[in-house]
């Protein structure tokens, strides 16, 4: 039988994403509701090793549901990858009287939690916090909805200037390994072409599409390029390539960069974070461990972390088809 849990730690790890604060708030308030103690850890696994803890109560998380980033700071920590680092972290948790933790982060943070559980039989629960939406076992990760709305808003603005000057814009968005942001924001913003890591459409197709677009009388075009697209060219090289082969186009590049990670979370991300926070604490109190909280068909589900970190969520084939049809 699992030991009784009296104190839960919560922290954020890896890349930050909008909605992390709402998730921290939810974990802290659920602990208060359940009348168990809660402690926050600053700077992820690094703070765990350093003993950078703070006791939390329901009032410690006032006025953060609307804030982007993470009040607990995030960090990458090489030391935690070593058995010595994890042992030091375990000793700090024991010293603090922590019985279980909730980690809000991505695949790497979950892999670390899993290893930690294997070594110390310590109960762990994961909440997927990343704008990339690439974690198996959930239709949405925290921050994805905010990020695609940020991208759509930026592209709407770029479109205004693009159409005033009959220009073609290449807009680079985040997504080294997966194209969820590019595909969703691209369809939402009415992009001409969407280049994602999962598909190599080839440069010929891009030129054909742009030629067709010009012929059909479109005054401007937006091409979304995920960071990890497979054309073998970055956005600036794509600009040069198109200008060389289609001199009719006046091409500009916009790299959206880290603005995609920031900003106030959307209502969707706040609600999702609140739900996931409650579920994570409830699951730990039910004696569960090594799960990630996810959402599917608007129902919260638990997926073993070992499954969640196995692969990236594939892009939606139906959405690719919709995108193809919309660009005719
Ligand atoms: P993002 O999706 O933004 O990259 P992430 O959680 O995947 O977020 P990582 O940098 O991969 O971010 O991992 C965060 C931290 O988790 C690492 O700095 C390290 O401390 C820990 N970690 C990652 N992988 C492992 C592992 N295999 N074993 C132990 N710890 C790990």
């Amino acid at each position: 039988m699992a030991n009784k849990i009296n104190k839960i730690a919560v922290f954020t790890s890896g890349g930050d994403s909008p909605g992390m604060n709402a998730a921290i708030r939810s974990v802290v308030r659920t602990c208060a509701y359940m009348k168990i103690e809660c402690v926050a850890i600053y700077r992820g696994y690094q703070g765990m090793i350093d003993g950078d803890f703070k006791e939390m109560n329901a009032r410690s998380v006032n006025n953060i549901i609307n804030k982007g980033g993470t009040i607990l700071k995030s960090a990458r920590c090489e030391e935690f990858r070593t058995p010595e680092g994890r042992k030091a972290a375990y000793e700090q948790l024991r010293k603090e009287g922590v019985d279980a933790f909730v980690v809000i982060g991505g695949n790497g943070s979950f892999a670390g939690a899993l290893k930690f559980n294997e070594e110390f039989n310590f109960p762990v629960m994961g909440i997927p916090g990343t704008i990339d939406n690439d974690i198996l076992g959930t239709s949405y990760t925290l921050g994805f909805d905010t990020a695609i709305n940020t991208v759509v808003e930026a592209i709407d603005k770029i479109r205004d200037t693009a159409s005033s000057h009959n220009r073609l814009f290449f807009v680079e968005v985040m997504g080294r390994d997966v194209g969820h942001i590019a595909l969703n924001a691209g369809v939402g913003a009415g992009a001409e072409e969407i280049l994602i890591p999962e598909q190599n459409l080839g440069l010929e197709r891009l030129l054909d599409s742009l030629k067709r677009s010009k012929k059909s009388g479109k005054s401007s075009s937006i091409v979304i390029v995920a960071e990890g697209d497979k054309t073998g060219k970055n956005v600036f090289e794509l600009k040069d390539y198109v200008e060389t082969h289609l001199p009719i186009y006046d091409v500009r590049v916009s790299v959206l960069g880290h603005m995609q990670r920031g900003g106030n979370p959307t209502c969707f991300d706040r609600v999702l974070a609140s739900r996931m926070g409650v579920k994570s604490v409830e699951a730990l109190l039910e004696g569960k461990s090594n799960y990630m909280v996810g959402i599917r068909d608007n129902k919260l589900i638990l997926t073993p972390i070992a499954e969640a970190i196995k692969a990236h969520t594939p892009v939606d084939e139906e959405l690719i088809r919709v995108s193809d049809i919309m660009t005719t």
Side-chain angles (χ1 to χ4, degrees), residues 171-187:
V171 181
E172 186 190 272
V173 302
M174 283 187 170
R176 282 212 176 82
D177 306 310
V178 289
H180 296 287
I181 292 179
L183 187 57
N184 282 270
V187 170

Side-chain angles (χ1 to χ4, degrees), residues 65-95:
I65 191 169
N66 55 324
K67 294 201 166 76
T70 159
I71 59 160
L72 299 182
K73 314 282 181 203
S74 197
R76 314 238 187 228
C77 171
E78 284 312 307
E79 218 180 327
F80 196 78
R81 292 176 187 273
T82 67
E84 297 77 28
R86 291 192 293 275
K87 184 157 188 294
Y90 178 71
E91 280 162 9
Q92 290 285 10
L93 289 175
R94 293 315 304 158
K95 203 164 99 190

Side-chain angles (χ1 to χ4, degrees), residues 13-15 45 76-77 80-81 86 106-109 111-112 115 130:
S13 172
Y45 290 119
R76 314 238 187 228
C77 171
F80 196 78
R81 292 176 187 273
R86 291 192 293 275
N107 274 320
S109 304
K115 212 165 250 178
T130 166

Side-chain angles (χ1 to χ4, degrees), residues 223-281:
V223 176
I224 312 275
V225 187
E227 282 169 318
D229 95 281
K230 290 288 186 289
T231 54
K233 295 190 185 296
N234 66 36
V235 264
F236 296 99
E237 291 163 347
L238 282 172
K239 168 187 177 338
D240 293 344
Y241 182 83
V242 169
E243 280 182 335
T244 306
H245 291 83
L246 292 176
I248 190 170
Y249 271 108
D250 178 16
V251 191
R252 294 288 187 277
V253 169
S254 182
V255 177
L256 298 188
H258 280 78
M259 68 175 285
Q260 295 163 85
R261 281 231 193 127
N264 301 347
T266 56
C267 182
F268 180 90
D269 274 330
R270 297 180 199 193
V271 172
L272 183 63
S274 303
R275 294 176 72 186
M276 286 180 164
V278 172
K279 183 77 175 175
S280 65
V281 174

